[in-house]
Amino acid sequence: MAEIDLPANGWIPRDYQLPAWKALENGRKRLALAWHRRSGKDELALHWAAVSAMARVGSYWHMLPQANQSRKAVWDAVNSHTGRRRIDDAFPEEIRESTREQDMFIRFKNGSTWQVVGSDNYNSLVGSPPVGVVFSEYALADPNAWAFLRPILAENGGWAMFISTPRGRNHFGRMIQFARTDPAWFCQVLT
């Protein structure tokens, strides 16, 4: 098997992404990132999921508010800088065992899996407890998905990353306020 460096394809965090990346590298399990549009929220999360999936065998999910958003926002999205799909930038073929296009599911050679899912159908995801979940555009997501997954991640020592553009005073706004005061969390707001 070829040797692959992760993050793959020469990706490195941008200067303003570096504090969040370092927090993850230092073992922080909960992140709340209220970042502006085009700040690379999903890009950072995809590359962290790749690193995590190789370091700890388990199931990893990238959860958008609605399952039908997942395909265009993450699975089929093309990185305008590289011309490749974003998932291909983060998860090179060399680390994959199989890719199921229909399910938006990747199985890695080490046994880990990664899948794009929606918070609108989190109840259908029972049976495969994740060890890492990205809640993308969390301000628009069903907050019950976090209530459902929180005890699973706590029990198995998993991580959760909440990334979103702010959308006023809602559950994500309350989470940001909480995360700012809890030393177990990493919180960053970029306007």
Side-chain angles (χ1 to χ4, degrees):
M1 182 160 92
E3 188 172 309
I4 299 294
D5 288 325
L6 293 176
N9 295 306
W11 184 85
I12 56 171
R14 301 173 195 170
D15 290 345
Y16 57 85
Q17 295 172 328
L18 202 51
W21 188 265
K22 291 286 186 197
L24 290 160
E25 285 185 326
N26 291 328
R28 199 67 62 98
K29 301 280 189 192
R30 303 287 181 267
L31 282 81
L33 306 177
W35 290 3
H36 56 82
R37 297 197 186 296
R38 308 301 304 156
S39 61
K41 298 178 290 295
D42 286 303
E43 183 179 33
L44 176 125
L46 289 169
H47 284 281
W48 181 252
V51 169
S52 294
M54 294 301 105
R56 179 180 179 189
V57 175
S59 297
Y60 296 85
W61 296 343
H62 198 101
M63 183 176 282
L64 276 87
Q66 297 179 356
N68 65 6
Q69 294 172 313
S70 303
R71 184 163 298 280
K72 65 180 169 240
V74 174
W75 189 260
D76 288 337
V78 174
N79 180 332
S80 60
H81 301 290
T82 67
R84 292 185 297 264
R85 288 194 317 179
R86 295 165 83 185
I87 61 167
D88 295 334
D89 279 344
F91 310 116
E93 290 291 331
E94 293 87 349
I95 66 172
R96 298 186 200 184
E97 180 180 300
S98 62
T99 303
R100 295 194 321 237
E101 291 287 333
Q102 184 69 19
D103 300 328
M104 296 182 288
F105 178 92
I106 297 172
R107 180 173 304 284
F108 299 105
K109 291 180 179 178
N110 73 340
S112 287
T113 63
W114 178 87
Q115 188 169 20
V116 186
V117 297
S119 70
D120 59 337
N121 67 347
Y122 65 89
N123 280 318
S124 70
L125 301 171
V126 296
S128 177
V131 295
V133 179
V134 174
F135 291 85
S136 183
E137 288 304 335
Y138 186 64
L140 300 175
D142 182 346
N144 291 317
W146 171 232
F148 178 76
L149 293 169
R150 182 175 43 224
I152 296 168
L153 292 169
E155 188 272 330
N156 67 25
W159 56 263
M161 185 185 312
F162 301 85
I163 58 175
S164 191
T165 52
R167 297 281 184 139
R169 297 174 191 226
N170 60 17
H171 59 280
F172 184 57
R174 289 187 297 278
M175 178 178 279
I176 291 295
Q177 293 306 317
F178 169 78
R180 284 180 165 162
T181 64
D182 188 325
W185 284 66
F186 175 86
C187 180
Q188 186 179 33
V189 177
L190 299 176
T191 58

